[in-house]
């Protein structure tokens, strides 16, 4: 059976771009909220039956080409030794943030990926239930984005703790990044072994650094993860999404990735040029367009699709996660516009 999303990631672009949406298995779905009412978010991540059910919801409702595993980038941090809590209305909080050399040294990294067996169980269940034409995407947060949460202790405005560690105590910062890289290599390899057909690495906070600091402090770890995965699993496509990462797109050409995620602050055409036309691009409609009328949704989706036809390959997605307040009907409209977009139209 043909898998449009996997094909596109492997450079065999279908006529109509394949589509999935970041955070598609989330709070904008009434069905999600109903399950969530009975279970905590962490429980949903840790129970493979629930994670499987929630992953499949948007795939069935909207006929998405991709299913992204229901989990969270912060899941592997708990077994490293931090206490993770999701607080209603505030988001994730670590009550024991990593601030000193001793804190970093105390973090576990060896064997951590084996402590989250529930993730791999969900992945292998999903491969059983997912229709053959759909592609199962595994994921993780990139080391820097994970480090941001661990050092700040939660969401942050200026990332002062993290950047202070980076500038003033580079050895501790690098040890933390090393440990995270080791954990993530094991974690992503295990997801692929369990049945993930493609991997996306989320570097949501990459763009808070200057391109110089990104190159100096962050890039080598991202590169190591991609090199390791490509060597172990040459047939598994890899996606890198760095929000606000346009400034360092030229550098990303060194990455053994197949696809780059693009946010809506740049055109796909410029993103392709700046990354040497060497990647399939994924994105990049503004998530808030889905709060507009169907005429606006259609106009914007068509613009993104026609730009996508001029580059090496294109997977339709939003430029970041779908927002919880998004009307479900807008997603239906969007998918209809994409499916009806033959090259001549
Ligand atoms: O995309 C998907 O549908 C798959 C699941 C997924 C979730 N989080 C589920 C989730 C993925 C891929 C993530 C990634 C993630 N998590 C990122 C990187 C990508 C991005 O969107 O920037 C980050 C930074 C996080 C950390 C995180 N998790 C935050 C900041 C929050 C709270 C705020 C928010 O957006 O809800 C979460 C919680 C979370 N992760 C929820 C879901 C469905 C909501 C939990 C709830 O029901 O209350």
């Amino acid at each position: 059976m043909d898998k449009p999303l996997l094909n596109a990631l492997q450079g065999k672009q279908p006529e109509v771009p394949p589509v999935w949406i970041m955070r598609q298995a989330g709070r904008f779905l009434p069905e999600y909220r109903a399950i969530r009412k009975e279970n905590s978010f962490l429980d949903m991540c840790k129970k493979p039956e629930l994670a499987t059910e929630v992953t499949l919801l948007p795939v069935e409702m909207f006929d998405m080409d991709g299913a992204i595993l229901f989990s969270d980038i912060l899941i592997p941090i708990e077994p490293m030794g931090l206490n993770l809590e999701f607080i209603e209305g505030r988001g994730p909080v670590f009550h024991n943030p990593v601030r000193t050399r001793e804190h970093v040294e105390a973090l576990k990294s060896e064997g951590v990926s084996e402590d989250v067996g529930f993730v791999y169980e969900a992945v292998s269940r999903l491969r059983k239930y997912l229709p053959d034409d759909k592609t199962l995407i595994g994921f993780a947060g990139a080391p820097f984005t994970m480090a941001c949460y661990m050092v700040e202790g939660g969401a942050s405005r200026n990332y002062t703790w993290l950047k202070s560690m980076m500038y003033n105590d580079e050895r501790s910062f690098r040890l933390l990044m090393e440990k995270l890289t080791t954990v993530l290599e094991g974690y992503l390899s295990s997801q692929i072994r369990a049945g993930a057909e493609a991997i996306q690495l989320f570097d949501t906070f990459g763009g808070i650094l200057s391109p110089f600091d990104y190159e100096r402090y962050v890039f080598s770890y991202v590169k190591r993860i991609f090199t390791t995965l490509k060597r172990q699993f040459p047939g598994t496509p890899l996606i890198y999404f760095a929000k606000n990462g346009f400034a360092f797109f030229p550098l990303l050409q060194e990455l053994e990735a197949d696809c780059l995620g693009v946010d809506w602050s740049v055109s796909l055409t410029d993103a392709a040029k700046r990354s040497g036309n060497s990647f399939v691009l994924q994105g990049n409609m503004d998530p808030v367009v889905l709060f507009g009328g169907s005429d606006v949704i259609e106009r914007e989706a068509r613009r993104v699709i026609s730009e996508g036809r001029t580059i090496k390959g294109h997977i339709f997605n939003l430029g970041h996660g779908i927002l919880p307040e998004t009307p479900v009907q807008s997603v239906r409209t969007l998918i209809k516009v994409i499916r009806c977009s033959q090259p001549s139209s």
Side-chain angles (χ1 to χ4, degrees):
M1 173 79 83
D2 233 21
K3 291 177 181 272
L5 176 56
L6 194 62
N7 286 348
L9 285 167
Q10 291 169 336
K12 295 165 276 180
Q13 179 73 26
E15 285 208 335
V16 170
V19 57
W20 69 279
I21 293 180
M22 288 186 273
R23 291 283 178 103
Q24 67 187 22
R27 285 170 300 177
F28 87 103
L29 294 175
E31 292 79 356
Y32 171 90
R33 292 196 300 267
I35 300 172
R36 175 73 172 77
K37 229 168 137 181
E38 310 293 324
N39 302 274
S40 76
F41 173 65
L42 273 177
D43 274 350
M44 285 173 74
C45 294
K46 290 177 182 177
K47 291 183 182 159
E49 322 80 60
L50 280 181
T52 304
E53 184 183 345
V54 176
T55 303
L56 293 172
L57 274 177
V59 183
E60 285 161 359
M61 286 178 72
F62 309 110
D63 193 28
M64 297 288 183
D65 294 298
I68 180 151
L69 168 70
F70 181 80
S71 185
D72 198 85
I73 61 164
L74 305 178
I75 289 292
I77 297 180
E78 228 181 8
M80 290 180 80
L82 296 196
N83 306 317
L84 172 61
E85 192 187 349
F86 282 86
I87 298 178
E88 212 62 58
R90 207 175 132 198
V93 174
F94 290 110
H95 296 289
N96 50 343
V98 177
R99 299 273 165 86
T100 65
R101 175 86 187 174
E102 292 68 39
H103 293 162
V104 178
E105 279 173 352
L107 290 170
K108 186 177 157 193
S109 59
E110 297 301 328
V112 162
S113 62
E114 288 133 52
D115 292 341
V116 288
F118 53 88
V119 171
Y120 319 129
E121 201 184 320
V123 170
S124 55
R125 269 171 172 268
L126 275 161
R127 276 305 291 282
K128 256 186 261 148
Y129 293 116
L130 200 63
D132 288 344
D133 59 333
K134 308 301 184 193
T135 301
L136 180 59
I137 307 163
F139 74 90
F144 182 71
T145 292
M146 310 263 280
C148 283
Y149 274 106
M150 295 169 87
V151 176
E152 295 294 327
S156 172
R157 190 185 285 266
N158 297 312
Y159 302 91
T160 315
W161 286 106
L162 187 269
K163 288 189 183 179
S164 299
M165 183 194 278
M166 199 175 84
Y167 294 132
N168 300 326
D169 185 6
E170 186 169 341
R171 280 186 57 213
S172 297
F173 172 79
R174 289 200 181 273
L175 181 62
L176 175 59
M177 293 291 278
E178 286 280 341
K179 286 191 167 189
L180 281 166
T181 302
T182 301
V183 168
L184 291 165
E185 283 173 341
Y187 183 55
L188 291 169
S189 303
S190 298
Q191 288 187 38
I192 297 173
R193 269 187 225 104
E197 298 170 288
I199 292 292
Q200 173 154 325
L201 197 69
F202 285 89
D203 220 347
T204 310
F205 302 130
I208 66 164
L209 294 177
S210 76
F212 311 100
D213 283 347
Y214 177 85
E215 181 167 6
R216 180 185 180 120
Y217 295 106
V218 170
F219 185 58
S220 65
Y221 305 97
V222 176
K223 202 169 155 181
R224 192 180 117 191
I225 294 175
F226 279 85
T227 304
T228 302
L229 292 178
K230 257 300 167 232
R231 195 177 310 133
Q232 274 186 287
F233 308 99
T236 305
L238 307 175
I239 309 167
Y240 181 58
F241 173 62
K243 178 117 193 288
N244 294 319
F246 188 55
F248 41 80
F249 265 33
L251 187 63
L252 301 185
Q253 290 175 58
E254 292 174 27
L255 217 52
E256 290 197 60
D258 303 271
C259 175
L260 296 183
V262 183
D263 65 59
W264 65 94
S265 65
V266 2
S267 77
L268 289 177
T269 318
D270 287 346
K273 273 191 212 138
R274 240 182 119 68
S275 52
N277 294 308
S278 41
F279 299 97
V280 170
L281 297 184
Q282 174 176 278
N284 70 340
M285 198 174 88
D286 184 338
V288 182
V289 167
L290 295 172
F291 291 70
S294 52
D295 49 337
V296 178
I297 296 171
E298 180 163 349
R299 183 190 73 206
E300 285 305 298
R302 280 175 181 267
R303 184 187 54 70
V304 170
I305 292 167
S306 57
E307 254 197 292
R309 294 223 155 95
T310 68
I311 61 179
K312 181 178 167 182
H314 178 225
I315 293 159
F316 197 101
N317 205 317
L318 302 180
H320 197 186
I322 190 165
L323 296 165
E325 305 82 12
T326 306
V328 172
Q329 185 53 39
S330 295
V331 179
R332 293 195 194 287
T333 305
L334 173 67
I335 300 299
K336 208 160 131 201
V337 172
I338 298 169
R339 297 296 187 211
C340 294
S341 66
Q342 293 304 321
S344 52
S345 65

